């Protein structure tokens, strides 16, 4: 057996990757294990906002402050990952009540303005209905006033991969598609893990002085292996992906039960979200229901009456690992985070769990967890994760110059820069060396062949879905219609696999996309699904029609 | 008053219209836009004659397999569900359009066509210009794949791998390994990408096509191939002429691979159907058919007005064609006929249980449509004929999921021809 690690981190979401980065930067010998791919749990399926936590201003103010503070740190260490989302908060006309509500909301936002400098936010302003309609003509006109505020959006998968890359560059070992199937014990203590590689079946035993359970929705399952108890209230959250960017501003709406929901500009589309419901099912098998879709559309329709004309091309679903409390409604639960030392809590030495939290404050939770580890293991280097740039943020990158060098449109390079920061230089070098790798694989973003090869070679992408999470390939209106097979063949080439395997890679990705469309098959999307299935399965037979066994 | 009105201008509608004309009826066809036929690959199949892993099987066997696992399939309505009877009816239907569509091959045969993705698709009867088909003599064949710089999705390695693995199974008898060679890619021009339809227009210019043929001949001759495979872009109107040109220049059998929808061969097929309608003397009205209590009317700038008819064939397609639409519930969009999935009426909402996990598996929601009797007359909720003089054909029928079970254009052709004949008989007893 190899030498023991100082820390093994279980879970490759934003918390796990953040902890691995911090631990590695402080000199700990670190291993990060993610059972599927970075961000597939709560992180990747979140609303993708470095959320100031406006909602918690009254109920949970230190969450708001922590989130805003840490938003500021994230901006410093990875500015290329962030994009500003201006949001409208419309108040429906309705006599005196409405006018009072306008004042109340404005006061609320004015208080929130105090936190704005922490996250480089702009102060709120008040717009008349007419002014708001010029920004968003789809709004219903009978508005008392519209207030504005802003938040930062971020690609959560890119954030996880950036942290994982930073961890590797600081000396950590990082594995995805690697499931922890058991914890190694010595008496009551946890001394390591047994892993199983999902793509090869190979198992391995690895020792560590400390094991960190950052498994998000799977926290109780992992802790349970050690006989330690971790209680969370998994909160299911669903989003709808609109096929085009219908607005450049977000709109805050109210659902039928009074919850705040929103529609946001996101990539080349729009995101509608979200729900929050206690979930008792299998975290590995989340499905979106038509009820949830109807709930969100109905709420947005209240302010944007023509929303149903647009095509919803996909959905996302994730589970928040919210801290447990009995008796509170899902929305009212605390979004604070907790670092649990199981030696103190359950008499199980060697195991630490991180629970709860918000995307925006991941770095802070990681710092607290690694402080605990550092004290226990005798590491004294200070935490630098708030100032050390994440991969891609170390230097500048000029999309216009790169466009000249590659002959590709500047927009393509700008999007590449958004995802990779200055690491886009490496992708540009690939294109300069192999000009045909500049061809577009997915039109929606657009994504070049060079970028696909780069994420396979450098960012642990082993399936088309992995590639999609890193590049946004196939996640927009196309849902993989042309790019699934193209990307699958590039992946097969990089992995030295043959055409039958390439078809299987493509079929697997299309199955994931299908799952995300099941609840939104209506109108134009249903016709699109009919054509796409006819193409992939009727004509081409990707399900394995020509092969000796069907993959479907 | 016209004898037969056909709603829908794809394969099912055109076959119905031409069949009704042949039976002596006066026919008007109403259509709006394009549907699945124009967007199709151009392949015409009725059932899966290339089961996975095995050897090709005759159409009758494939039909029996379909009917066994899909009891609600509309094929069961043809010839009482007898496989040999269905084959016979299919042959008759193919004759209705064989000449205008330039079909070749044997409807009951089990040939195979190459797709651009490097797989094989059943091809008993097919539009001439695809291949290799039902040729028996593929022993010792030498295949050559021509690629163009403007069709990056036509990847030669896929084609050669498909030939390597597929020919021994589909070549009719054990074959000597056929060799496959690739020339360097033929460079056509400056823009980095071109949509296939745009590229096809280039090939419609005879001067360009001749230059291309000469260029290919220079590069391909030394490989002395017996068969040459091209991407399916060799013209919108002059594809057959261009293939003949290429065969002469290269001294080899030339064909285009099938491509997934939307494809140039699909556009050509639609154009050929349109020409067949004109040649048969069918009155074509551009517009949307609407049924309002009394009778059919056509809405739309060009062909607006009433359309009194003695019999009607509904060939409006599924979701792509617009014959069915879903907002909350699934509706049939002209007559509001009840929609079923595999014979069971679909509920109003929440249709998640009519979907399964893997998209290549059968999806009852996407097989849904109108239930019909043995004469292809739509049925109401009580299983009675919904309207006298009304017939239905093609993808609008309940029980067909092309993606999982195949049976797209072939089924449209079969049910269209049948419905057209029966409607003509009904209109003129």
């Amino acid at each position: 057996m190899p030498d023991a690690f100082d820390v093994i981190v279980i879970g490759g979401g934003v918390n796990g990757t953040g902890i691995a980065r911090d631990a590695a930067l402080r000199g700990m010998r670190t291993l990060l294990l993610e059972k599927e791919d970075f961000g597939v749990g709560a992180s990747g399926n979140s609303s993708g906002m470095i959320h100031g936590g406006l909602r918690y201003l009254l109920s949970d103010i230190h969450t708001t402050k922590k989130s805003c503070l840490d938003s500021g740190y994230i901006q410093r260490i990875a500015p290329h990952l962030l994009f500003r989302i201006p949001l409208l908060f419309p108040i429906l006309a309705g006599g005196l009540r409405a006018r009072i509500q306008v004042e109340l909301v404005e006061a609320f936002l004015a208080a929130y303005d105090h936190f704005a400098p922490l996250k480089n936010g702009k102060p709120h302003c008040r717009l008349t209905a007419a002014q708001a309609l010029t920004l968003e003509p789809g709004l219903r006109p009978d508005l008392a006033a519209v207030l504005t505020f802003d938040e930062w959006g971020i690609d959560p998968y890119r954030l996880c991969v950036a942290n994982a890359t930073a961890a590797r560059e600081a000396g950590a070992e990082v594995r995805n598609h690697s499931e922890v199937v058991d914890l190694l014990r010595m008496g009551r203590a946890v001394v390591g893990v047994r892993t199983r590689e999902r793509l090869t079946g190979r198992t391995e035993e690895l020792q560590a002085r400390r094991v960190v359970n950052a498994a998000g929705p799977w926290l109780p399952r992992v802790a349970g292996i050690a006989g330690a108890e971790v209680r969370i209230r998994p909160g299911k959250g669903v989003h709808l992906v609109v096929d085009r960017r219908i607005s450049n501003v977000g709109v805050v709406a109210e659902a039928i039960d009074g919850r705040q929901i929103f529609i946001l500009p996101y990539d080349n589309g729009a995101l509608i979200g979200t729900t929050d419901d206690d979930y008792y099912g299998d975290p590995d098998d989340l499905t979106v229901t038509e009820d949830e879709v109807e709930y969100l559309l109905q709420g947005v329709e209240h302010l944007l009456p023509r929303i149903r004309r647009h095509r919803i091309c996909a959905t996302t679903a994730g589970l928040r690992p919210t801290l447990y409390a009995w008796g509170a409604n899902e929305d009212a639960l605390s979004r604070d985070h907790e670092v649990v030392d199981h030696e103190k809590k359950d008499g199980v030495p060697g195991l630490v769990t991180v629970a709860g939290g918000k995307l925006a404050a991941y770095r802070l939770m990681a710092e607290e967890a690694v402080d605990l580890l550092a004290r226990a293991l005798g590491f004294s280097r200070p935490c630098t994760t708030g100032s050390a740039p994440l991969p891609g943020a170390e230097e500048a990158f000029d999309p216009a110059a790169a466009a000249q060098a590659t002959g590709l449109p500047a927009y393509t390079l700008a999007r590449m820069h958004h995802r990779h920061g200055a690491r886009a230089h490496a992708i540009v070098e690939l294109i300069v060396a192999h000009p045909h790798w500049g061809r577009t694989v997915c039109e929606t973003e657009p994504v070049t062949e060079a970028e696909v090869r780069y994420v396979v070679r450098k960012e642990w992408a082993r399936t088309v879905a992995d590639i999609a999470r890193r590049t946004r390939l196939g996640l927009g209106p196309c849902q993989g219609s042309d790019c699934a097979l193209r990307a699958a063949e590039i992946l097969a080439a990089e992995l030295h696999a043959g055409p039958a395997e390439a078809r299987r890679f493509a079929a697997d990705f299309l199955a994931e996309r299908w799952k995300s469309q099941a609840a939104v098959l209506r109108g134009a999307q249903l016709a699109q699904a009919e054509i796409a299935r006819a193409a992939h399965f009727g004509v081409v037979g990707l399900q394995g029609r020509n092969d000796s066994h069907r993959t479907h | 008053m016209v004898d037969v009105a056909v709603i829908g201008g794809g394969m099912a509608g055109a076959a119905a219209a031409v069949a009704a004309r042949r039976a002596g009826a006066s026919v008007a066809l109403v259509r709006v836009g394009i549907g699945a036929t124009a967007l199709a690959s151009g392949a015409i199949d009725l059932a899966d004659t290339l089961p996975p892993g095995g050897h090709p099987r005759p159409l009758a066997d494939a039909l029996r397999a379909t009917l066994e696992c899909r009891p609600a399939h509309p094929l069961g309505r043809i010839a009482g569900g007898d496989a040999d009877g269905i084959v016979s009816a299919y042959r008759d239907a193919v004759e209705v359009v064989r000449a205008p569509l330039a079909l070749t091959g044997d409807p009951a045969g089990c040939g195979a066509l190459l797709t651009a993705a490097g797989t094989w698709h059943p091809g008993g009867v097919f539009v001439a210009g695809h291949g290799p088909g039902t040729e028996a003599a593929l022993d010792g064949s030498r295949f050559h794949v021509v690629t163009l710089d403007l069709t990056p999705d036509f990847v030669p390695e896929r084609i050669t791998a498909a030939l390597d693995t597929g020919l021994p199974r589909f070549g009719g008898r054990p074959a000597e390994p056929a060799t496959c060679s690739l020339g360097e890619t033929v460079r056509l021009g400056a823009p980095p990408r071109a949509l296939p339809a745009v590229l096809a227009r280039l090939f419609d210019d005879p001067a360009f096509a001749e230059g291309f043929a000469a260029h290919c001949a220079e590069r391909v001759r030394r490989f002395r191939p017996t068969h040459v495979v091209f991407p399916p872009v060799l013209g919108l109107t002059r594809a057959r002429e261009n293939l003949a040109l290429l065969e002469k220049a290269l001294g080899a059998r030339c064909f285009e691979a099938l491509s997934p929808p939307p494809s140039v061969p699909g556009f050509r097929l639609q154009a050929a159907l349109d020409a067949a309608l004109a040649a048969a003397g069918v009155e074509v009205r551009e517009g949307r058919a609407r049924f309002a209590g009394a009778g059919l009317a056509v809405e739309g700038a060009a062909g607006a007005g009433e359309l009194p008819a003695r019999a009607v064939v509904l060939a409006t397609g599924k979701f792509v064609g617009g014959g069915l639409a879903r907002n909350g519930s699934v509706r049939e969009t002209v007559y509001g006929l009840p929609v079923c999935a595999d014979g069971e009426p679909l509920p109003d909402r929440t249709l998640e249980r009519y979907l399964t996990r893997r998209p290549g598996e059968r999806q009852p929601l996407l097989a849904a449509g109108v239930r019909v009797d043995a004469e292809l007359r739509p049925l109401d909720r009580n299983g009675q004929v919904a309207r006298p003089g009304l017939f239905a054909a093609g993808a609008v029928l309940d029980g067909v999921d092309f993606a999982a079970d195949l049976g797209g254009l072939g089924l449209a052709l079969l049910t269209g021809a049948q419905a057209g004949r029966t409607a003509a008989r009904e209109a003129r007893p």
Side-chain angles (χ1 to χ4, degrees):
Chain A
M1 220 182 293
D3 293 328
F5 290 93
D6 291 312
V7 182
I8 291 180
V9 183
I10 303 176
V14 76
N15 294 319
T17 55
I19 289 168
R21 176 189 183 222
D22 197 344
L25 282 172
R26 295 202 221 183
M28 299 180 204
R29 185 155 174 254
T30 309
L31 169 65
L32 172 63
L33 295 168
E34 160 53 50
K35 80 173 165 92
E36 193 180 330
D37 188 31
F38 308 115
V40 294
S43 302
N45 291 295
S46 68
S47 304
M49 280 194 283
I50 302 296
H51 212 291
L54 168 66
R55 194 158 68 76
Y56 315 110
L57 202 52
L58 290 180
S59 57
D60 201 356
I61 193 168
H62 55 275
T63 294
T64 304
K65 183 166 183 198
K66 279 193 222 178
S67 295
C68 289
L69 196 60
D70 246 60
S71 277
Y73 285 125
I74 296 173
Q75 283 173 54
R76 202 184 313 166
I77 65 178
H80 58 280
L81 289 180
L82 297 171
F83 48 96
R84 189 185 292 278
I85 307 179
L87 284 145
L88 303 183
F89 197 130
I91 316 267
L92 287 176
L96 182 60
R97 267 183 101 140
R99 293 206 298 279
I100 292 176
Q101 202 191 357
V102 172
E103 300 304 325
L104 282 177
V105 175
E106 183 155 27
F108 200 81
L109 289 176
Y112 194 51
D113 282 349
H114 287 122
F115 294 99
L118 293 176
K119 59 181 180 77
N120 283 309
K122 298 190 182 181
H124 83 282
C125 62
R126 181 199 285 220
L127 305 173
T128 63
Q131 288 170 323
L133 283 165
T134 61
L135 280 178
E136 179 40 84
L139 281 170
R140 57 193 280 186
D142 55 330
L143 301 169
V146 174
L147 297 157
T148 75
F149 63 105
D150 71 346
E151 297 289 8
W152 288 100
I154 193 169
D155 181 332
Y157 292 111
R158 292 303 313 163
L159 182 61
C160 292
V161 170
N163 275 289
T165 305
R168 179 187 64 201
E169 292 178 353
E173 191 180 326
V174 174
R175 302 184 195 176
N176 60 353
H177 297 289
S178 209
E179 183 175 4
V180 170
V181 294
D182 207 354
L183 297 175
L184 304 178
R185 316 291 300 279
M186 200 142 67
R188 296 209 69 198
V190 170
V191 297
V193 302
R194 180 176 300 119
T195 65
R196 193 180 77 87
E197 295 288 317
R198 279 181 157 195
L199 297 177
T200 63
R202 182 170 159 267
T203 61
E204 193 177 356
E205 286 188 355
L206 300 148
Q207 286 182 321
R209 296 165 70 194
R210 288 291 184 280
V211 172
V212 178
N213 177 9
W218 294 270
L219 280 177
R221 185 184 294 183
V222 173
I225 302 176
E229 195 200 32
V230 166
R231 301 192 78 175
I232 55 171
R233 259 180 78 177
K236 181 183 181 195
V238 155
H239 296 83
L240 311 179
V241 178
V242 185
D243 77 326
R244 68 200 61 199
R245 180 178 264 240
I246 55 183
S247 177
N248 284 323
V249 296
V251 177
V252 177
E254 194 185 58
I256 193 167
D257 56 1
R259 288 183 65 250
Q260 260 176 30
I261 60 176
F262 55 79
I263 176 167
L264 302 177
Y266 208 88
D267 288 339
N268 291 326
L271 201 65
I272 297 175
T274 176
T275 58
D276 194 354
D277 292 303
D278 286 304
Y279 182 77
Y280 298 91
D282 183 354
D284 287 309
D285 190 24
L286 279 177
T287 54
V288 177
T289 66
E290 290 188 19
D291 266 12
E292 288 165 323
V293 173
E294 183 55 34
Y295 169 83
L296 289 172
L297 283 177
Q298 183 195 49
V300 173
E301 189 179 36
H302 206 53
L303 284 178
L304 294 170
R306 293 188 292 281
I307 188 68
R308 287 183 200 267
R309 284 198 195 171
H310 296 286
R311 174 159 75 99
I312 311 293
C313 57
T315 59
T316 73
L319 286 180
R320 304 169 185 77
T322 315
L323 294 178
Y324 176 87
W326 182 277
N329 186 271
E330 295 95 328
D331 260 12
L333 290 169
S334 167
R335 277 14 187 185
D336 203 354
H337 59 254
E338 215 179 288
V339 178
V340 177
D341 181 349
H342 287 286
E343 175 157 24
K344 294 201 175 71
K345 181 172 165 289
D346 304 281
V348 177
L351 183 65
V352 173
T353 290
V354 292
K358 292 195 63 57
L359 192 76
Y362 85 91
R363 194 216 58 83
L364 180 62
M365 167 141 88
E367 180 175 349
E368 290 174 14
V370 180
D371 283 346
L372 189 119
L373 296 171
R375 280 194 300 274
L377 301 177
F379 286 87
S380 55
R381 251 192 250 175
C383 171
T384 53
T385 56
S387 53
L390 276 174
E394 314 93 334
E395 46 174 9
F397 174 86
D398 180 6
Q404 287 264 330
T406 56
L408 294 177
Y411 177 71
T412 305
L413 276 310
R415 295 300 294 162
M416 202 188 285
H417 173 244
H418 163 58
R419 290 190 285 278
H420 298 274
R423 302 297 170 102
H425 281 304
I427 303 175
V428 168
E429 274 165 37
L430 285 178
I431 299 174
V432 167
H434 309 271
H436 54 289
W437 288 0
R439 76 160 175 138
T440 303
V441 178
C442 177
E443 321 265 341
T444 309
E445 252 301 292
V447 181
T448 58
E449 175 165 350
E451 186 177 355
V452 173
R453 290 183 185 261
Y454 177 81
V455 303
V456 174
R457 293 179 184 189
K458 302 289 188 193
E459 291 188 346
W460 304 276
R462 309 260 289 280
T463 66
V464 178
D466 290 353
I467 295 170
R469 280 182 277 270
R470 287 154 181 66
T471 60
R472 308 303 297 166
L473 175 146
L475 298 181
C478 69
Q479 290 295 299
S481 63
D482 289 330
C483 51
L485 190 55
R486 288 177 193 157
E489 287 177 334
I490 298 169
L491 177 65
E494 289 285 324
L495 299 181
H496 308 292
E501 278 166 280
R503 287 196 288 274
R504 207 168 26 88
F505 293 155
D508 286 343
F509 179 62
L510 292 169
E512 278 197 37
R513 296 289 87 229
W514 178 252
K515 191 177 170 205
S516 86
Q517 292 170 37
V520 292
L521 286 178
R522 62 186 60 201
Q525 185 58 27
L526 186 47
Q528 183 66 26
E530 185 184 323
I531 285 216
R533 284 181 70 244
H536 296 131
F537 304 107
V539 178
V540 172
L542 280 182
Q543 71 275 40
R545 179 176 284 132
N546 291 172
D547 302 320
S548 51
H549 56 270
R550 289 206 173 202
T551 60
H552 277 56
Chain B
M1 171 153 319
V2 79
D3 289 331
V4 177
V6 177
I7 314 177
M11 176 69 103
V18 174
R21 282 295 292 144
R22 283 194 176 194
S26 60
V27 181
L29 183 142
V30 186
R31 63 152 176 232
V32 56
I34 56 168
T37 298
L39 296 171
S41 68
I44 300 176
D45 50 73
L46 190 62
D48 191 353
T49 53
L50 297 181
H55 285 264
R57 62 182 169 188
L59 181 60
D61 290 346
L63 290 170
R64 272 185 275 271
T66 302
L67 289 167
E68 207 174 287
C69 55
R70 308 285 181 231
H73 202 286
L75 280 174
R77 311 280 176 274
I78 311 284
D82 167 55
D84 296 310
I86 298 172
V87 172
S88 178
Y90 188 45
R91 285 188 192 283
D92 292 342
V94 167
E95 287 319 302
V96 171
V97 292
R98 183 184 275 279
L101 295 187
L103 298 181
T104 181
D106 173 17
C110 38
L113 305 175
L114 263 180
T115 74
T119 56
W120 295 84
H121 190 89
V125 63
F126 55 97
V127 176
H130 293 301
T134 46
E135 288 184 14
L138 290 173
D139 274 356
S141 304
R142 284 185 304 281
F143 280 78
H144 186 89
V145 183
V146 171
T147 53
L148 309 174
D149 61 338
L150 294 185
T151 53
D153 276 335
F154 190 68
V155 176
E157 286 79 11
R158 294 179 191 171
I159 308 290
T160 55
L163 287 165
D164 283 339
T165 58
L167 276 179
R169 278 168 36 212
F170 308 134
R173 48 192 173 151
E176 279 173 41
T179 55
C180 318
S181 53
L182 320 167
E184 83 272 16
T185 302
V186 175
R187 307 213 166 272
L188 288 181
R193 286 195 325 270
L195 288 176
V198 170
L199 204 48
R201 277 187 222 284
L202 273 179
F203 280 92
D204 280 341
D205 170 10
F208 178 88
E210 280 170 30
F212 176 76
H215 183 96
C216 278
E218 255 178 67
R219 278 158 177 69
V220 169
R221 265 249 148 83
R222 64 196 159 102
F223 295 99
R224 295 182 300 117
T226 57
H227 296 72
V228 184
V229 186
F230 291 88
V233 294
L234 298 179
L236 273 167
T237 57
R238 290 184 51 89
R240 281 169 56 199
E241 289 87 335
N242 289 340
L243 277 167
L245 198 64
L246 285 162
E247 292 196 326
K248 190 146 170 252
L250 301 173
R253 167 106 152 53
C254 295
F255 63 88
E256 291 175 315
L258 284 178
S259 104
S263 77
V264 171
F267 301 145
R268 285 184 214 143
L269 188 76
Q270 182 67 59
L273 288 172
D274 294 349
L277 290 172
V282 172
E283 180 201 345
V284 174
R285 305 250 291 244
E286 306 283 348
R288 186 174 295 282
R290 193 161 291 291
F291 174 73
L296 268 188
V298 179
E299 286 177 0
E306 306 263 305
L307 181 54
R310 296 191 177 87
V312 178
V313 177
L314 186 70
T316 43
K318 223 183 268 288
F319 300 105
V320 172
L324 300 181
R326 182 193 181 196
N327 228 320
S329 51
V330 181
R331 308 174 332 268
E332 183 274 308
T333 55
V334 178
Y335 289 90
L337 296 165
V339 176
C340 296
D342 292 332
E344 296 300 318
L346 274 183
D348 254 359
R349 309 242 159 188
T350 322
L351 303 177
E352 288 143 304
R353 46 180 211 289
Y354 293 88
L355 294 170
T356 67
R357 312 223 95 190
R358 305 284 293 198
E361 276 170 5
R362 195 152 191 284
Q363 306 292 332
L365 174 61
L366 281 113
V370 170
R371 205 157 63 108
V372 292
D373 69 3
E375 298 210 291
L376 300 180
R377 296 173 198 273
L379 302 174
D380 65 15
R381 288 195 186 281
N382 301 318
Q384 308 299 314
V385 170
R387 293 197 62 79
L390 178 62
F391 299 85
V396 74
L397 298 176
D398 172 31
V400 191
D401 179 358
F402 166 68
D405 301 329
L406 294 188
L409 291 184
L411 188 71
L413 175 54
L414 175 58
T415 52
Q418 192 103 334
R421 266 201 299 276
T422 319
R425 248 196 337 260
E426 176 120 330
R428 306 167 59 90

